């Protein structure tokens, strides 16, 4: 049984019913969803790291150190997108989902697209 750990930027308090945070680096927290055999097996929340200009890799490394393999995000700059690629975290564009549950369901159904350079926001680290 393969388990995949997904992180979704979330509003407080986190969890499946929380809204998806509009931008990964400035979200309240992350909802971590472990998926096994295509089904949700575990849900946790993880506090976000302080995000200062130029400090894009802090949240990237924080998620990597917590076993995240997939990130569902609505917005990010080019630098963190490249950072996620460096640490082996695959990023999908999930910004249209109203809730964390909706984002996870969209990922599990295969309807989310990989985040690409054209979807990044300006400033590199906003």
């Amino acid at each position: 049984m393969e388990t995949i750990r997904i992180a979704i930027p979330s509003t407080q308090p986190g969890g499946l019913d929380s809204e998806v945070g509009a931008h990964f680096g400035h979200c309240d927290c992350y909802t971590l969803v472990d998926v096994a055999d295509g089904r949700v097996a575990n849900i946790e929340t993880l506090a976000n790291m302080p995000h200062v200009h130029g400090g894009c890799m802090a949240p990237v490394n924080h998620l990597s150190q917590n076993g995240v393999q997939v990130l569902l995000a609505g917005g990010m700059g080019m630098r963190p997108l490249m950072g996620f690629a460096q640490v082996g975290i695959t990023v999908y564009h999930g910004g249209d989902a109203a809730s964390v549950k909706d984002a996870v369901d969209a990922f599990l159904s295969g309807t989310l697209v990989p985040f690409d350079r054209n979807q990044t926001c300006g400033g590199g680290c906003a």
Side-chain angles (χ1 to χ4, degrees):
M1 172 170 76
E2 181 186 1
T3 301
I4 299 171
R5 176 160 273 197
I6 304 168
I8 304 94
S10 309
T11 59
Q12 286 288 7
L16 291 179
D17 294 330
S18 292
E19 291 180 29
V20 174
H23 198 286
F24 103 94
H26 298 285
C27 65
D28 294 338
C29 62
Y30 298 97
T31 298
L32 303 182
V33 178
D34 294 329
V35 173
D37 293 329
R39 298 197 343 234
V40 173
N42 188 48
I43 302 163
E44 300 174 26
T45 56
L46 179 67
N48 193 2
M49 297 288 295
H51 188 142
V52 296
H53 185 72
C56 300
M57 287 304 290
V60 170
N61 290 328
H62 183 55
L63 291 172
S64 178
Q65 291 162 359
N66 281 278
V68 171
Q69 298 156 288
V70 172
L71 175 73
L72 310 181
M76 74 176 57
M78 179 61 73
R79 286 176 54 202
L81 182 61
M82 290 170 37
F84 282 118
Q86 290 173 349
V87 299
I89 295 175
T90 305
V91 182
Y92 289 87
H93 194 272
D96 296 335
S99 69
V100 169
K101 181 183 184 318
D102 291 344
V104 171
D105 287 346
F107 174 77
L108 293 175
S109 70
T111 60
L112 297 184
V113 296
F115 211 102
D116 72 26
R117 305 175 94 106
N118 297 326
Q119 294 164 313
T120 59
C121 51
C125 193

